[in-house]
């Protein structure tokens, strides 16, 4: 029942000129943090990103900061990218790639960026961001000698 309350709060978040209302986000995040298991809301947040792909949801925004507090979201992020990549989720993938020098990890994240760049549900801005990040990661890999 508590997750349903969070879902309802997420659905009620307002946008003005495709910009998220930061007060609504803050209220939802306060409610999330008050839960006994706040991390249980991560699937709801990724779903929210997907439903609002055309809107500016932050740079990166409070929800992304909350998600990135622990490294338990990688599989949820990849699943979200497979469903519907968004600007913010490809941005998160790029951050994960930036956070490692391990070639297999970089390969995992660059493969996700490549898939996002050709995903049929990705909008043009998302595809361009994915390609830009992919180019950056490929240059970075060459500089690392991998």
């Amino acid at each position: 029942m508590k997750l349903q309350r969070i879902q309802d709060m997420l659905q009620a978040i307002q946008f003005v000129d495709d910009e998220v209302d930061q007060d609504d986000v803050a209220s939802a995040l306060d409610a999330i943090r008050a839960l006994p298991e706040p991390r249980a809301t991560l699937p709801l947040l990724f779903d929210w990103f997907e439903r609002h792909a055309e809107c500016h949801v932050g740079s990166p925004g409070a929800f992304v900061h909350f998600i990135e507090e622990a490294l338990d979201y990688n599989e949820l992020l990849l699943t979200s990218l497979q469903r519907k990549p968004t600007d913010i989720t490809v941005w998160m993938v790029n951050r994960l790639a930036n956070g490692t020098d391990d070639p297999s990890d970089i390969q995992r994240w660059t493969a996700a960026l490549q898939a996002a760049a050709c995903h049929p549900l990705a909008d043009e801005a998302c595809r361009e961001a994915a390609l830009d990040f992919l180019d950056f990661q490929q240059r970075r890999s060459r500089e690392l000698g991998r």
Side-chain angles (χ1 to χ4, degrees), residues 116-130:
C118 354
H119 196 288
L121 296 179
D123 64 25
E124 186 64 28
C126 177
R127 285 192 295 274
E128 287 178 17

Side-chain angles (χ1 to χ4, degrees), residues 5-24:
R5 178 174 172 256
I6 300 301
Q7 180 66 41
D8 293 344
M9 290 183 81
L10 292 172
Q11 288 178 345
I13 291 175
Q14 297 293 308
F15 290 83
V16 176
D17 297 326
D18 292 332
E19 294 277 334
V20 70
D21 183 305
Q22 294 298 330
D23 291 335
D24 288 351

Side-chain angles (χ1 to χ4, degrees), residues 4-141:
Q4 183 58 53
R5 178 174 172 256
I6 300 301
Q7 180 66 41
D8 293 344
M9 290 183 81
L10 292 172
Q11 288 178 345
I13 291 175
Q14 297 293 308
F15 290 83
V16 176
D17 297 326
D18 292 332
E19 294 277 334
V20 70
D21 183 305
Q22 294 298 330
D23 291 335
D24 288 351
V25 169
S27 294
L29 195 51
D30 287 344
I32 288 169
R33 290 187 184 284
L35 293 173
E37 295 182 38
R39 305 299 288 175
T41 64
L42 294 185
L44 300 177
L45 294 175
F46 282 109
D47 179 65
W48 185 81
F49 291 148
E50 292 166 32
R51 286 185 287 113
H52 299 288
E54 73 286 353
C55 298
H56 181 69
V57 298
S59 294
F63 287 152
V64 171
H65 285 295
F66 168 73
I67 291 168
E68 290 182 337
E69 287 176 1
L71 290 175
D72 59 353
Y73 64 92
N74 295 1
E75 295 308 317
L76 291 170
L77 174 59
L78 290 172
T79 300
S80 177
L81 281 170
Q82 291 167 356
R83 283 191 308 258
K84 183 176 182 178
T86 69
D87 286 353
I88 202 71
T89 54
V90 297
W91 185 88
M92 292 172 75
V93 166
N94 188 61
R95 282 177 51 100
L96 287 166
N98 285 342
T100 184
D101 290 337
D102 182 296
S104 63
D105 287 340
I106 294 171
Q107 168 56 33
R108 177 184 191 196
W109 299 122
T110 56
L113 290 169
Q114 181 66 48
C118 354
H119 196 288
L121 296 179
D123 64 25
E124 186 64 28
C126 177
R127 285 192 295 274
E128 287 178 17
L131 288 172
D132 287 346
F133 290 140
L134 182 61
D135 180 58
F136 173 80
Q137 291 304 330
Q138 289 169 338
R139 282 184 283 125
R140 184 173 167 263
S141 289

